[in-house]
Amino acid sequence: MNPHAIRKPIVDRFKGKVAIVTGGTNGIGYAIALELLREGAEVAVSCLPADEAGGKAAFAAAGFSPLVIVGDMSSEEFCHKLVSDTVAKYGRLDYLVNNAFSFIAKGLDATRADFLYSLEVGPLGFALMIQLAAVHMNKVGGGAVVNVSSISSWVAQPNRWTYNMSKGAVTQLTRCAALDLAPQKIRVNSVSPGWTWTREVEKAAGGDMEKYDPIWGQFHMLARMCFPVEIAAPTLFLLSDDASFITGTDLPVDGGYNGLGPEGLGQNTKIAGSK
Ligand SMILES: NC(=O)c1ccc[n+]([C@@H]2O[C@H](COP(=O)([O-])OP(=O)(O)OC[C@H]3O[C@@H](n4cnc5c(N)ncnc54)[C@H](O)[C@@H]3O)[C@@H](O)[C@H]2O)c1
């Protein structure tokens, strides 16, 4: 399966609109930014310094040159710069995709600094970006926000207090921001991806997707891992007018992860009903 060949763009669905995608040079953020560009939007992406060159090259190879703004989402000053530079270049702001997150995964060993950085990049950064973006969305009569959450927002996983706590906070932020921004016609939702083939996951698999896809795929009813483009399409749906009556909620894009019971896919158990 070619992960970029499974979706035909709905041409020009976002023409004339402007979007910010944080962490848009890699993985899920890149897939979302690319699909927005393919559907006619102007897009600004943020990234850490190490990802600037690779991100620009990947967009150029696909025929696009979005505004790439380098900095850390844990910095309030950088969040202000990201929004003001985007509006200065493109003249308006319609959509925000809060995607960049800290991958610190610690539990009993987590330090206060680990918690603080996870929260600063995660829910605190997301919240500030929504506050700043809403000012500009208001000027164009409304807008939409998608927060990239995770299956980790909904379940316990080993040694992940930092990450799962931060993702859990994103769920409540989504609800509260949606409520308060509804009068301004700004919708706020989240997507919760399952295990997705991005670089951290590839690293954990030692680069061997063929070996690990069937193993980690067992976490999902669909018995395979997700590709980033499969998060992009539902995200674009939530941003689009097709989702005009959807706000304050989460769309699991998890291949059935959250509905799976302890019996898993049934292959290792003789309990009635399993094969
Ligand atoms: N990959 C998965 O299995 C998975 C599953 C569920 C949720 N998610 C979520 O999807 C989102 C994207 O993850 P990914 O796997 O695509 O990541 P990735 O590592 O492929 O890309 C991360 C992007 O975010 C940027 N970034 C990271 N930290 C940043 C910071 N502090 N400031 C500014 N930019 C920063 C990087 O430069 C890069 O552009 C995250 O919110 C993650 O929690 C991923």
Side-chain angles (χ1 to χ4, degrees), residues 157-193:
Q157 292 166 309
N159 303 315
R160 284 182 172 224
W161 299 11
T162 44
Y163 185 79
N164 290 29
M165 184 177 93
S166 300
K167 287 294 186 188
V170 168
T171 300
Q172 279 298 55
L173 170 66
T174 301
R175 293 183 182 127
C176 293
L179 176 63
D180 289 347
L181 290 170
Q184 298 176 39
K185 298 189 169 50
I186 297 170
R187 295 179 297 101
V188 184
N189 292 291
S190 63
V191 290
S192 284

PDB file of all heavy atoms in Angstrom, residues 157-193:
ATOM      1  N   GLN A 157      -1.300   3.632  29.744  1.00  0.00           N
ATOM      2  CA  GLN A 157      -0.219   2.877  29.085  1.00  0.00           C
ATOM      3  C   GLN A 157       0.998   2.937  29.997  1.00  0.00           C
ATOM      4  O   GLN A 157       1.180   3.920  30.728  1.00  0.00           O
ATOM      5  CB  GLN A 157       0.101   3.500  27.710  1.00  0.00           C
ATOM      6  CG  GLN A 157      -1.024   3.327  26.696  1.00  0.00           C
ATOM      7  CD  GLN A 157      -0.870   4.209  25.462  1.00  0.00           C
ATOM      8  OE1 GLN A 157      -0.673   5.410  25.578  1.00  0.00           O
ATOM      9  NE2 GLN A 157      -0.978   3.611  24.296  1.00  0.00           N
ATOM     10  N   PRO A 158       1.852   1.911  29.953  1.00  0.00           N
ATOM     11  CA  PRO A 158       2.953   1.866  30.913  1.00  0.00           C
ATOM     12  C   PRO A 158       3.964   3.006  30.740  1.00  0.00           C
ATOM     13  O   PRO A 158       4.321   3.348  29.610  1.00  0.00           O
ATOM     14  CB  PRO A 158       3.629   0.521  30.635  1.00  0.00           C
ATOM     15  CG  PRO A 158       2.865  -0.149  29.552  1.00  0.00           C
ATOM     16  CD  PRO A 158       1.800   0.743  29.059  1.00  0.00           C
ATOM     17  N   ASN A 159       4.403   3.563  31.853  1.00  0.00           N
ATOM     18  CA  ASN A 159       5.472   4.583  31.884  1.00  0.00           C
ATOM     19  C   ASN A 159       5.186   5.807  31.032  1.00  0.00           C
ATOM     20  O   ASN A 159       6.059   6.305  30.331  1.00  0.00           O
ATOM     21  CB  ASN A 159       6.805   3.958  31.415  1.00  0.00           C
ATOM     22  CG  ASN A 159       7.183   2.776  32.257  1.00  0.00           C
ATOM     23  OD1 ASN A 159       7.092   2.837  33.489  1.00  0.00           O
ATOM     24  ND2 ASN A 159       7.558   1.683  31.623  1.00  0.00           N
ATOM     25  N   ARG A 160       3.971   6.288  31.082  1.00  0.00           N
ATOM     26  CA  ARG A 160       3.626   7.408  30.220  1.00  0.00           C
ATOM     27  C   ARG A 160       2.833   8.489  30.941  1.00  0.00           C
ATOM     28  O   ARG A 160       1.913   9.067  30.371  1.00  0.00           O
ATOM     29  CB  ARG A 160       2.803   6.922  29.029  1.00  0.00           C
ATOM     30  CG  ARG A 160       3.615   6.228  27.955  1.00  0.00           C
ATOM     31  CD  ARG A 160       2.679   5.868  26.844  1.00  0.00           C
ATOM     32  NE  ARG A 160       3.386   5.372  25.683  1.00  0.00           N
ATOM     33  CZ  ARG A 160       3.094   5.758  24.441  1.00  0.00           C
ATOM     34  NH1 ARG A 160       2.172   6.648  24.224  1.00  0.00           N
ATOM     35  NH2 ARG A 160       3.744   5.250  23.433  1.00  0.00           N
ATOM     36  N   TRP A 161       3.166   8.774  32.205  1.00  0.00           N
ATOM     37  CA  TRP A 161       2.401   9.805  32.915  1.00  0.00           C
ATOM     38  C   TRP A 161       2.489  11.138  32.178  1.00  0.00           C
ATOM     39  O   TRP A 161       1.502  11.856  32.053  1.00  0.00           O
ATOM     40  CB  TRP A 161       2.930  10.004  34.334  1.00  0.00           C
ATOM     41  CG  TRP A 161       2.867   8.804  35.218  1.00  0.00           C
ATOM     42  CD1 TRP A 161       2.596   7.510  34.864  1.00  0.00           C
ATOM     43  CD2 TRP A 161       3.103   8.786  36.627  1.00  0.00           C
ATOM     44  NE1 TRP A 161       2.661   6.689  35.960  1.00  0.00           N
ATOM     45  CE2 TRP A 161       2.971   7.440  37.065  1.00  0.00           C
ATOM     46  CE3 TRP A 161       3.427   9.756  37.562  1.00  0.00           C
ATOM     47  CZ2 TRP A 161       3.138   7.066  38.391  1.00  0.00           C
ATOM     48  CZ3 TRP A 161       3.596   9.384  38.888  1.00  0.00           C
ATOM     49  CH2 TRP A 161       3.444   8.058  39.295  1.00  0.00           C
ATOM     50  N   THR A 162       3.698  11.481  31.750  1.00  0.00           N
ATOM     51  CA  THR A 162       3.920  12.782  31.103  1.00  0.00           C
ATOM     52  C   THR A 162       3.064  12.926  29.843  1.00  0.00           C
ATOM     53  O   THR A 162       2.319  13.899  29.686  1.00  0.00           O
ATOM     54  CB  THR A 162       5.400  12.918  30.716  1.00  0.00           C
ATOM     55  OG1 THR A 162       5.828  11.677  30.128  1.00  0.00           O
ATOM     56  CG2 THR A 162       6.258  13.232  31.929  1.00  0.00           C
ATOM     57  N   TYR A 163       3.185  11.958  28.953  1.00  0.00           N
ATOM     58  CA  TYR A 163       2.516  12.045  27.643  1.00  0.00           C
ATOM     59  C   TYR A 163       1.003  11.900  27.787  1.00  0.00           C
ATOM     60  O   TYR A 163       0.234  12.720  27.272  1.00  0.00           O
ATOM     61  CB  TYR A 163       3.083  10.959  26.726  1.00  0.00           C
ATOM     62  CG  TYR A 163       2.589  10.984  25.300  1.00  0.00           C
ATOM     63  CD1 TYR A 163       3.101  11.895  24.380  1.00  0.00           C
ATOM     64  CD2 TYR A 163       1.616  10.086  24.859  1.00  0.00           C
ATOM     65  CE1 TYR A 163       2.655  11.907  23.059  1.00  0.00           C
ATOM     66  CE2 TYR A 163       1.171  10.093  23.547  1.00  0.00           C
ATOM     67  CZ  TYR A 163       1.693  10.999  22.653  1.00  0.00           C
ATOM     68  OH  TYR A 163       1.247  11.001  21.340  1.00  0.00           O
ATOM     69  N   ASN A 164       0.560  10.859  28.515  1.00  0.00           N
ATOM     70  CA  ASN A 164      -0.881  10.592  28.582  1.00  0.00           C
ATOM     71  C   ASN A 164      -1.618  11.665  29.377  1.00  0.00           C
ATOM     72  O   ASN A 164      -2.744  12.030  29.038  1.00  0.00           O
ATOM     73  CB  ASN A 164      -1.143   9.198  29.164  1.00  0.00           C
ATOM     74  CG  ASN A 164      -0.723   8.099  28.200  1.00  0.00           C
ATOM     75  OD1 ASN A 164       0.192   8.293  27.405  1.00  0.00           O
ATOM     76  ND2 ASN A 164      -1.366   6.949  28.263  1.00  0.00           N
ATOM     77  N   MET A 165      -0.975  12.194  30.415  1.00  0.00           N
ATOM     78  CA  MET A 165      -1.586  13.281  31.169  1.00  0.00           C
ATOM     79  C   MET A 165      -1.747  14.512  30.281  1.00  0.00           C
ATOM     80  O   MET A 165      -2.795  15.182  30.302  1.00  0.00           O
ATOM     81  CB  MET A 165      -0.687  13.618  32.362  1.00  0.00           C
ATOM     82  CG  MET A 165      -1.241  14.660  33.284  1.00  0.00           C
ATOM     83  SD  MET A 165      -0.120  14.883  34.695  1.00  0.00           S
ATOM     84  CE  MET A 165       0.893  16.207  34.116  1.00  0.00           C
ATOM     85  N   SER A 166      -0.734  14.791  29.477  1.00  0.00           N
ATOM     86  CA  SER A 166      -0.797  15.963  28.590  1.00  0.00           C
ATOM     87  C   SER A 166      -1.860  15.768  27.518  1.00  0.00           C
ATOM     88  O   SER A 166      -2.584  16.705  27.171  1.00  0.00           O
ATOM     89  CB  SER A 166       0.568  16.203  27.931  1.00  0.00           C
ATOM     90  OG  SER A 166       1.543  16.420  28.921  1.00  0.00           O
ATOM     91  N   LYS A 167      -1.966  14.552  26.972  1.00  0.00           N
ATOM     92  CA  LYS A 167      -3.002  14.281  25.968  1.00  0.00           C
ATOM     93  C   LYS A 167      -4.393  14.336  26.606  1.00  0.00           C
ATOM     94  O   LYS A 167      -5.348  14.811  26.004  1.00  0.00           O
ATOM     95  CB  LYS A 167      -2.784  12.916  25.303  1.00  0.00           C
ATOM     96  CG  LYS A 167      -1.618  12.878  24.326  1.00  0.00           C
ATOM     97  CD  LYS A 167      -1.852  13.747  23.099  1.00  0.00           C
ATOM     98  CE  LYS A 167      -0.749  13.602  22.060  1.00  0.00           C
ATOM     99  NZ  LYS A 167      -0.881  14.574  20.960  1.00  0.00           N
ATOM    100  N   GLY A 168      -4.502  13.864  27.852  1.00  0.00           N
ATOM    101  CA  GLY A 168      -5.787  13.932  28.554  1.00  0.00           C
ATOM    102  C   GLY A 168      -6.251  15.373  28.699  1.00  0.00           C
ATOM    103  O   GLY A 168      -7.442  15.683  28.536  1.00  0.00           O
ATOM    104  N   ALA A 169      -5.310  16.263  28.977  1.00  0.00           N
ATOM    105  CA  ALA A 169      -5.660  17.682  29.129  1.00  0.00           C
ATOM    106  C   ALA A 169      -6.140  18.272  27.803  1.00  0.00           C
ATOM    107  O   ALA A 169      -6.986  19.174  27.787  1.00  0.00           O
ATOM    108  CB  ALA A 169      -4.455  18.456  29.652  1.00  0.00           C
ATOM    109  N   VAL A 170      -5.628  17.744  26.699  1.00  0.00           N
ATOM    110  CA  VAL A 170      -6.058  18.231  25.379  1.00  0.00           C
ATOM    111  C   VAL A 170      -7.556  17.958  25.170  1.00  0.00           C
ATOM    112  O   VAL A 170      -8.275  18.766  24.577  1.00  0.00           O
ATOM    113  CB  VAL A 170      -5.220  17.571  24.248  1.00  0.00           C
ATOM    114  CG1 VAL A 170      -5.829  17.817  22.883  1.00  0.00           C
ATOM    115  CG2 VAL A 170      -3.780  18.084  24.297  1.00  0.00           C
ATOM    116  N   THR A 171      -8.025  16.835  25.710  1.00  0.00           N
ATOM    117  CA  THR A 171      -9.452  16.497  25.564  1.00  0.00           C
ATOM    118  C   THR A 171     -10.335  17.553  26.238  1.00  0.00           C
ATOM    119  O   THR A 171     -11.315  18.028  25.654  1.00  0.00           O
ATOM    120  CB  THR A 171      -9.723  15.118  26.202  1.00  0.00           C
ATOM    121  OG1 THR A 171      -8.915  14.162  25.520  1.00  0.00           O
ATOM    122  CG2 THR A 171     -11.175  14.721  26.083  1.00  0.00           C
ATOM    123  N   GLN A 172      -9.977  17.950  27.455  1.00  0.00           N
ATOM    124  CA  GLN A 172     -10.785  18.949  28.153  1.00  0.00           C
ATOM    125  C   GLN A 172     -10.613  20.340  27.539  1.00  0.00           C
ATOM    126  O   GLN A 172     -11.559  21.119  27.483  1.00  0.00           O
ATOM    127  CB  GLN A 172     -10.427  18.985  29.646  1.00  0.00           C
ATOM    128  CG  GLN A 172     -11.094  17.886  30.438  1.00  0.00           C
ATOM    129  CD  GLN A 172     -12.620  17.992  30.410  1.00  0.00           C
ATOM    130  OE1 GLN A 172     -13.250  18.041  29.365  1.00  0.00           O
ATOM    131  NE2 GLN A 172     -13.226  18.034  31.591  1.00  0.00           N
ATOM    132  N   LEU A 173      -9.400  20.638  27.079  1.00  0.00           N
ATOM    133  CA  LEU A 173      -9.185  21.916  26.387  1.00  0.00           C
ATOM    134  C   LEU A 173     -10.101  22.004  25.166  1.00  0.00           C
ATOM    135  O   LEU A 173     -10.728  23.051  24.920  1.00  0.00           O
ATOM    136  CB  LEU A 173      -7.709  22.041  25.955  1.00  0.00           C
ATOM    137  CG  LEU A 173      -7.394  23.203  25.033  1.00  0.00           C
ATOM    138  CD1 LEU A 173      -7.591  24.538  25.745  1.00  0.00           C
ATOM    139  CD2 LEU A 173      -5.962  23.099  24.494  1.00  0.00           C
ATOM    140  N   THR A 174     -10.184  20.913  24.429  1.00  0.00           N
ATOM    141  CA  THR A 174     -11.014  20.896  23.213  1.00  0.00           C
ATOM    142  C   THR A 174     -12.459  21.239  23.554  1.00  0.00           C
ATOM    143  O   THR A 174     -13.088  22.082  22.904  1.00  0.00           O
ATOM    144  CB  THR A 174     -10.931  19.499  22.544  1.00  0.00           C
ATOM    145  OG1 THR A 174      -9.559  19.240  22.222  1.00  0.00           O
ATOM    146  CG2 THR A 174     -11.781  19.428  21.291  1.00  0.00           C
ATOM    147  N   ARG A 175     -12.977  20.609  24.617  1.00  0.00           N
ATOM    148  CA  ARG A 175     -14.375  20.855  24.996  1.00  0.00           C
ATOM    149  C   ARG A 175     -14.593  22.305  25.438  1.00  0.00           C
ATOM    150  O   ARG A 175     -15.534  22.973  25.010  1.00  0.00           O
ATOM    151  CB  ARG A 175     -14.781  19.928  26.142  1.00  0.00           C
ATOM    152  CG  ARG A 175     -14.837  18.472  25.751  1.00  0.00           C
ATOM    153  CD  ARG A 175     -15.318  17.643  26.932  1.00  0.00           C
ATOM    154  NE  ARG A 175     -15.339  16.231  26.573  1.00  0.00           N
ATOM    155  CZ  ARG A 175     -14.738  15.276  27.261  1.00  0.00           C
ATOM    156  NH1 ARG A 175     -14.073  15.560  28.367  1.00  0.00           N
ATOM    157  NH2 ARG A 175     -14.809  14.019  26.869  1.00  0.00           N
ATOM    158  N   CYS A 176     -13.695  22.773  26.334  1.00  0.00           N
ATOM    159  CA  CYS A 176     -13.901  24.116  26.901  1.00  0.00           C
ATOM    160  C   CYS A 176     -13.724  25.199  25.845  1.00  0.00           C
ATOM    161  O   CYS A 176     -14.488  26.169  25.800  1.00  0.00           O
ATOM    162  CB  CYS A 176     -12.943  24.346  28.074  1.00  0.00           C
ATOM    163  SG  CYS A 176     -13.299  23.288  29.481  1.00  0.00           S
ATOM    164  N   ALA A 177     -12.709  25.045  24.983  1.00  0.00           N
ATOM    165  CA  ALA A 177     -12.493  26.047  23.935  1.00  0.00           C
ATOM    166  C   ALA A 177     -13.660  26.035  22.958  1.00  0.00           C
ATOM    167  O   ALA A 177     -14.109  27.097  22.494  1.00  0.00           O
ATOM    168  CB  ALA A 177     -11.176  25.757  23.208  1.00  0.00           C
ATOM    169  N   ALA A 178     -14.168  24.844  22.643  1.00  0.00           N
ATOM    170  CA  ALA A 178     -15.304  24.751  21.711  1.00  0.00           C
ATOM    171  C   ALA A 178     -16.514  25.497  22.263  1.00  0.00           C
ATOM    172  O   ALA A 178     -17.205  26.218  21.535  1.00  0.00           O
ATOM    173  CB  ALA A 178     -15.653  23.284  21.468  1.00  0.00           C
ATOM    174  N   LEU A 179     -16.742  25.342  23.560  1.00  0.00           N
ATOM    175  CA  LEU A 179     -17.897  26.010  24.177  1.00  0.00           C
ATOM    176  C   LEU A 179     -17.756  27.524  24.097  1.00  0.00           C
ATOM    177  O   LEU A 179     -18.659  28.231  23.667  1.00  0.00           O
ATOM    178  CB  LEU A 179     -18.018  25.558  25.640  1.00  0.00           C
ATOM    179  CG  LEU A 179     -19.114  26.241  26.463  1.00  0.00           C
ATOM    180  CD1 LEU A 179     -20.495  25.926  25.894  1.00  0.00           C
ATOM    181  CD2 LEU A 179     -19.042  25.784  27.924  1.00  0.00           C
ATOM    182  N   ASP A 180     -16.594  28.022  24.488  1.00  0.00           N
ATOM    183  CA  ASP A 180     -16.420  29.477  24.561  1.00  0.00           C
ATOM    184  C   ASP A 180     -16.260  30.136  23.197  1.00  0.00           C
ATOM    185  O   ASP A 180     -16.511  31.331  23.057  1.00  0.00           O
ATOM    186  CB  ASP A 180     -15.210  29.808  25.445  1.00  0.00           C
ATOM    187  CG  ASP A 180     -15.486  29.520  26.913  1.00  0.00           C
ATOM    188  OD1 ASP A 180     -16.672  29.316  27.254  1.00  0.00           O
ATOM    189  OD2 ASP A 180     -14.535  29.481  27.708  1.00  0.00           O
ATOM    190  N   LEU A 181     -15.834  29.367  22.191  1.00  0.00           N
ATOM    191  CA  LEU A 181     -15.625  29.972  20.864  1.00  0.00           C
ATOM    192  C   LEU A 181     -16.817  29.763  19.929  1.00  0.00           C
ATOM    193  O   LEU A 181     -16.848  30.329  18.835  1.00  0.00           O
ATOM    194  CB  LEU A 181     -14.344  29.427  20.227  1.00  0.00           C
ATOM    195  CG  LEU A 181     -13.060  29.910  20.921  1.00  0.00           C
ATOM    196  CD1 LEU A 181     -11.839  29.160  20.409  1.00  0.00           C
ATOM    197  CD2 LEU A 181     -12.879  31.412  20.720  1.00  0.00           C
ATOM    198  N   ALA A 182     -17.790  28.984  20.377  1.00  0.00           N
ATOM    199  CA  ALA A 182     -18.965  28.742  19.524  1.00  0.00           C
ATOM    200  C   ALA A 182     -19.659  30.043  19.112  1.00  0.00           C
ATOM    201  O   ALA A 182     -20.049  30.191  17.948  1.00  0.00           O
ATOM    202  CB  ALA A 182     -19.937  27.793  20.228  1.00  0.00           C
ATOM    203  N   PRO A 183     -19.812  31.021  20.029  1.00  0.00           N
ATOM    204  CA  PRO A 183     -20.471  32.264  19.605  1.00  0.00           C
ATOM    205  C   PRO A 183     -19.714  32.990  18.500  1.00  0.00           C
ATOM    206  O   PRO A 183     -20.297  33.804  17.781  1.00  0.00           O
ATOM    207  CB  PRO A 183     -20.492  33.106  20.899  1.00  0.00           C
ATOM    208  CG  PRO A 183     -20.343  32.123  22.012  1.00  0.00           C
ATOM    209  CD  PRO A 183     -19.509  31.012  21.470  1.00  0.00           C
ATOM    210  N   GLN A 184     -18.403  32.720  18.376  1.00  0.00           N
ATOM    211  CA  GLN A 184     -17.614  33.358  17.316  1.00  0.00           C
ATOM    212  C   GLN A 184     -17.556  32.486  16.052  1.00  0.00           C
ATOM    213  O   GLN A 184     -16.747  32.720  15.165  1.00  0.00           O
ATOM    214  CB  GLN A 184     -16.195  33.627  17.822  1.00  0.00           C
ATOM    215  CG  GLN A 184     -16.149  34.581  19.008  1.00  0.00           C
ATOM    216  CD  GLN A 184     -14.735  34.755  19.550  1.00  0.00           C
ATOM    217  OE1 GLN A 184     -13.772  34.820  18.796  1.00  0.00           O
ATOM    218  NE2 GLN A 184     -14.612  34.838  20.859  1.00  0.00           N
ATOM    219  N   LYS A 185     -18.366  31.440  16.026  1.00  0.00           N
ATOM    220  CA  LYS A 185     -18.403  30.509  14.868  1.00  0.00           C
ATOM    221  C   LYS A 185     -17.058  29.842  14.625  1.00  0.00           C
ATOM    222  O   LYS A 185     -16.641  29.597  13.493  1.00  0.00           O
ATOM    223  CB  LYS A 185     -18.884  31.223  13.604  1.00  0.00           C
ATOM    224  CG  LYS A 185     -20.302  31.769  13.716  1.00  0.00           C
ATOM    225  CD  LYS A 185     -20.799  32.275  12.381  1.00  0.00           C
ATOM    226  CE  LYS A 185     -22.276  32.587  12.349  1.00  0.00           C
ATOM    227  NZ  LYS A 185     -22.766  33.438  13.449  1.00  0.00           N
ATOM    228  N   ILE A 186     -16.367  29.569  15.735  1.00  0.00           N
ATOM    229  CA  ILE A 186     -15.103  28.822  15.644  1.00  0.00           C
ATOM    230  C   ILE A 186     -15.346  27.455  16.273  1.00  0.00           C
ATOM    231  O   ILE A 186     -15.704  27.348  17.442  1.00  0.00           O
ATOM    232  CB  ILE A 186     -13.967  29.564  16.384  1.00  0.00           C
ATOM    233  CG1 ILE A 186     -13.716  30.916  15.726  1.00  0.00           C
ATOM    234  CG2 ILE A 186     -12.690  28.713  16.382  1.00  0.00           C
ATOM    235  CD1 ILE A 186     -12.785  31.830  16.516  1.00  0.00           C
ATOM    236  N   ARG A 187     -15.178  26.411  15.469  1.00  0.00           N
ATOM    237  CA  ARG A 187     -15.361  25.051  15.961  1.00  0.00           C
ATOM    238  C   ARG A 187     -14.017  24.468  16.410  1.00  0.00           C
ATOM    239  O   ARG A 187     -12.984  24.758  15.809  1.00  0.00           O
ATOM    240  CB  ARG A 187     -15.974  24.152  14.881  1.00  0.00           C
ATOM    241  CG  ARG A 187     -17.391  24.556  14.474  1.00  0.00           C
ATOM    242  CD  ARG A 187     -17.946  23.652  13.394  1.00  0.00           C
ATOM    243  NE  ARG A 187     -17.185  23.713  12.157  1.00  0.00           N
ATOM    244  CZ  ARG A 187     -16.295  22.811  11.770  1.00  0.00           C
ATOM    245  NH1 ARG A 187     -16.080  21.718  12.515  1.00  0.00           N
ATOM    246  NH2 ARG A 187     -15.637  22.949  10.654  1.00  0.00           N
ATOM    247  N   VAL A 188     -14.047  23.690  17.492  1.00  0.00           N
ATOM    248  CA  VAL A 188     -12.814  23.088  18.024  1.00  0.00           C
ATOM    249  C   VAL A 188     -13.054  21.604  18.262  1.00  0.00           C
ATOM    250  O   VAL A 188     -13.965  21.229  19.021  1.00  0.00           O
ATOM    251  CB  VAL A 188     -12.382  23.763  19.348  1.00  0.00           C
ATOM    252  CG1 VAL A 188     -11.041  23.197  19.825  1.00  0.00           C
ATOM    253  CG2 VAL A 188     -12.301  25.277  19.204  1.00  0.00           C
ATOM    254  N   ASN A 189     -12.275  20.764  17.611  1.00  0.00           N
ATOM    255  CA  ASN A 189     -12.396  19.305  17.766  1.00  0.00           C
ATOM    256  C   ASN A 189     -11.010  18.696  17.899  1.00  0.00           C
ATOM    257  O   ASN A 189      -9.997  19.393  17.743  1.00  0.00           O
ATOM    258  CB  ASN A 189     -13.117  18.710  16.554  1.00  0.00           C
ATOM    259  CG  ASN A 189     -14.579  19.125  16.489  1.00  0.00           C
ATOM    260  OD1 ASN A 189     -15.384  18.710  17.325  1.00  0.00           O
ATOM    261  ND2 ASN A 189     -14.923  19.962  15.519  1.00  0.00           N
ATOM    262  N   SER A 190     -10.982  17.395  18.167  1.00  0.00           N
ATOM    263  CA  SER A 190      -9.690  16.707  18.170  1.00  0.00           C
ATOM    264  C   SER A 190      -9.796  15.415  17.372  1.00  0.00           C
ATOM    265  O   SER A 190     -10.895  14.901  17.140  1.00  0.00           O
ATOM    266  CB  SER A 190      -9.218  16.408  19.601  1.00  0.00           C
ATOM    267  OG  SER A 190     -10.117  15.522  20.239  1.00  0.00           O
ATOM    268  N   VAL A 191      -8.636  14.925  16.946  1.00  0.00           N
ATOM    269  CA  VAL A 191      -8.547  13.570  16.385  1.00  0.00           C
ATOM    270  C   VAL A 191      -7.626  12.765  17.294  1.00  0.00           C
ATOM    271  O   VAL A 191      -6.669  13.310  17.850  1.00  0.00           O
ATOM    272  CB  VAL A 191      -7.989  13.548  14.939  1.00  0.00           C
ATOM    273  CG1 VAL A 191      -8.992  14.132  13.961  1.00  0.00           C
ATOM    274  CG2 VAL A 191      -6.646  14.259  14.821  1.00  0.00           C
ATOM    275  N   SER A 192      -7.948  11.500  17.454  1.00  0.00           N
ATOM    276  CA  SER A 192      -7.108  10.620  18.278  1.00  0.00           C
ATOM    277  C   SER A 192      -6.565   9.476  17.442  1.00  0.00           C
ATOM    278  O   SER A 192      -7.236   8.439  17.272  1.00  0.00           O
ATOM    279  CB  SER A 192      -7.903  10.069  19.468  1.00  0.00           C
ATOM    280  OG  SER A 192      -8.056  11.058  20.448  1.00  0.00           O
ATOM    281  N   PRO A 193      -5.346   9.648  16.910  1.00  0.00           N
ATOM    282  CA  PRO A 193      -4.763   8.570  16.099  1.00  0.00           C
ATOM    283  C   PRO A 193      -4.399   7.356  16.936  1.00  0.00           C
ATOM    284  O   PRO A 193      -4.046   7.463  18.115  1.00  0.00           O
ATOM    285  CB  PRO A 193      -3.473   9.199  15.543  1.00  0.00           C
ATOM    286  CG  PRO A 193      -3.625  10.677  15.729  1.00  0.00           C
ATOM    287  CD  PRO A 193      -4.502  10.845  16.938  1.00  0.00           C
TER     288      PRO A 193
END
